[in-house]
Amino acid sequence: MRPHAVHAVIAVKSLDLAKSRLADRLRPEHRAQLVLAMLADTVSAAAAVPQVRSVTVVTPDPAVAEVAGELGAHVHPEPRFADSDGLNTALSDAAAALRRRHGAVELLALQADLPALRPEELADMLRVAPAGRRAVVVDHAGTGTAALVVRDGVAPLDPRFGADSARRHIAAGAADLTGHWPGLRLDVDTAADLDLAVELGAGDATRAALRDIGWSCRVHEPVRRVC
């Protein structure tokens, strides 16, 4: 199956709201540092995939925008009308802007916290995602969505991220992709997730951040990718 080109969108909220589930383990400034590092590794991995023609980061946060720009990603301001469903509103707005700029293109929405993502995993997922349909990669917890791909140049992104998003995406007609992509499925919300990312082989930026904040002695040891 010939892989199709896609344009990726990633949404990141304000750093002062970042990773609240790690608040008992990390100070606010360390959580912000970690979010920026995981974003850097996610964007870098996505940009290394030949099928990914562009990466757009939508955010209200200037520090996030600065990091995204330094990595060569496009920066899209969070829409003023973002509400309690702000993540989905932001992704939809960025996707619509991409279509206005590039025409009928296929879309990929990625979580921003995939520090163990490997380009080969993402390339393989795009290769097997069915043409003309939406498809999802369910996260390692089995309830969330790590990635949403739309292999149709005119169908809307229609993101349904949030609680129980995997079920809601699949109920809306998205195919459930079953490939073995451990790094792609590992979005980080908890301390256990972060430790697992280290075991899988977190990217350079995340490992550097974790060493800096003293997360674990294991970060200093050579890591082995598991695939």
Side-chain angles (χ1 to χ4, degrees), residues 3-223:
H4 284 214
V6 302
H7 293 259
V9 293
I10 299 172
V12 185
K13 59 189 176 182
S14 295
L15 290 177
D16 58 359
L17 302 175
K19 296 299 168 195
S20 59
R21 292 174 67 182
L22 289 170
D24 62 333
R25 298 286 299 273
L26 294 175
R27 300 199 303 268
E29 64 271 24
H30 288 164
R31 297 201 305 273
Q33 182 181 358
L34 178 62
V35 167
L36 293 174
M38 292 193 296
L39 173 66
D41 286 329
T42 303
V43 170
S44 296
V49 176
Q51 301 98 299
V52 176
R53 292 291 175 84
S54 73
V55 178
T56 296
V57 174
V58 52
T59 183
D61 196 293
V64 174
E66 181 179 2
V67 168
E70 289 172 351
L71 293 166
H74 301 285
V75 177
H76 184 80
E78 186 176 75
R80 293 180 181 275
F81 52 84
D83 50 21
S84 60
D85 196 27
L87 173 64
N88 293 315
T89 301
L91 288 169
S92 294
D93 193 66
L98 275 168
R99 291 263 177 84
R100 288 193 297 271
R101 187 161 62 246
H102 297 288
V105 296
E106 298 178 9
L107 300 168
L108 167 67
L110 278 177
Q111 294 283 16
D113 52 355
L114 301 173
L117 175 62
R118 300 178 66 179
E120 304 96 303
E121 293 177 336
L122 188 54
D124 187 57
M125 184 275 284
L126 294 174
R127 182 183 62 82
V128 303
R133 290 191 63 185
R134 283 185 190 81
V136 294
V137 177
V138 179
D139 70 8
H140 68 293
T143 58
T145 302
L148 168 67
V149 60
V150 181
R151 292 282 309 279
D152 180 326
V154 296
L157 184 62
D158 191 24
R160 302 179 182 216
F161 289 92
D164 204 21
S165 65
R167 180 192 61 77
R168 291 188 289 117
H169 279 130
I170 292 167
D176 179 6
L177 300 178
T178 59
H180 181 63
W181 308 303
L184 176 57
R185 296 187 187 277
L186 183 55
D187 55 329
V188 171
D189 290 313
T190 67
D193 296 340
L194 198 49
D195 285 337
L196 182 55
V198 172
E199 294 297 330
L200 283 177
D204 292 344
T206 300
R207 290 202 311 272
L210 291 175
R211 286 193 296 267
D212 188 50
I213 65 182
W215 177 258
S216 167
C217 62
R218 287 178 296 172
V219 180
H220 296 271
E221 300 172 358
V223 294

